[in-house]
Amino acid sequence: QVQLVESGGGLVQPGGSLRLSCVVSGIIFRVSDMRWYRQAPGKQRELVGSITVRGITNLTDSVKGRFTISRDNAKNTMWLQMNSLKPEDTAIYYCHADVSSDPSSWYDYWGQGTQVTISS
């Protein structure tokens, strides 16, 4: 069994910051690419950004310069540092990862999501 657990969401005023965490736990042989998605009310889930095992990141244009993705492979943990937050960043943020529990098979897993609300 593999679980992804996000934390760090909350209510922040515009211009504020939040740091989300995603911890992968369970029977883990290796964690490959990890991603953050978000889903705003009434909208489709969108990819916020991704990070490879080597730490190469890619962010969607709307968050570039404001958000940063990082990870600690030894801790199977990924973070999303969000600065200069805007009301349009309000969404449920989900962690997604490609995980293998043995050398021969890979599966993708989702976290349960953490609510981020930007409002004055």
Side-chain angles (χ1 to χ4, degrees):
Q1 295 285 348
V2 173
Q3 287 188 318
L4 274 61
V5 179
E6 304 101 331
S7 62
L11 172 63
V12 177
Q13 291 187 341
S17 298
L18 280 174
R19 190 189 195 205
L20 306 184
S21 300
C22 171
V23 179
V24 184
S25 64
I27 301 174
I28 300 169
F29 176 72
R30 188 170 296 172
V31 180
S32 183
D33 293 356
M34 301 182 74
R35 305 164 192 88
W36 286 103
Y37 285 82
R38 66 184 181 185
Q39 188 166 17
K43 295 187 176 181
Q44 289 187 332
R45 190 172 297 188
E46 66 168 347
L47 177 64
V48 175
S50 61
I51 185 167
T52 68
V53 172
R54 295 188 176 185
I56 299 172
T57 61
N58 191 23
L59 292 164
T60 192
D61 286 346
S62 62
V63 305
K64 283 181 180 177
R66 301 189 297 122
F67 291 10
T68 303
I69 297 178
S70 59
R71 67 187 287 174
D72 184 329
N73 294 329
K75 297 180 179 179
N76 293 321
T77 301
M78 173 179 65
W79 295 276
L80 180 66
Q81 178 66 45
M82 305 185 294
N83 299 326
S84 302
L85 284 161
K86 304 175 181 180
E88 51 263 43
D89 295 318
T90 295
I92 300 174
Y93 284 70
Y94 297 91
C95 173
H96 180 261
D98 299 325
V99 182
S100 65
S101 296
D102 62 74
S104 61
S105 60
W106 288 85
Y107 298 95
D108 65 298
Y109 296 88
W110 290 91
Q112 82 288 350
T114 185
Q115 177 70 48
V116 172
T117 304
I118 312 304
S119 176
S120 55

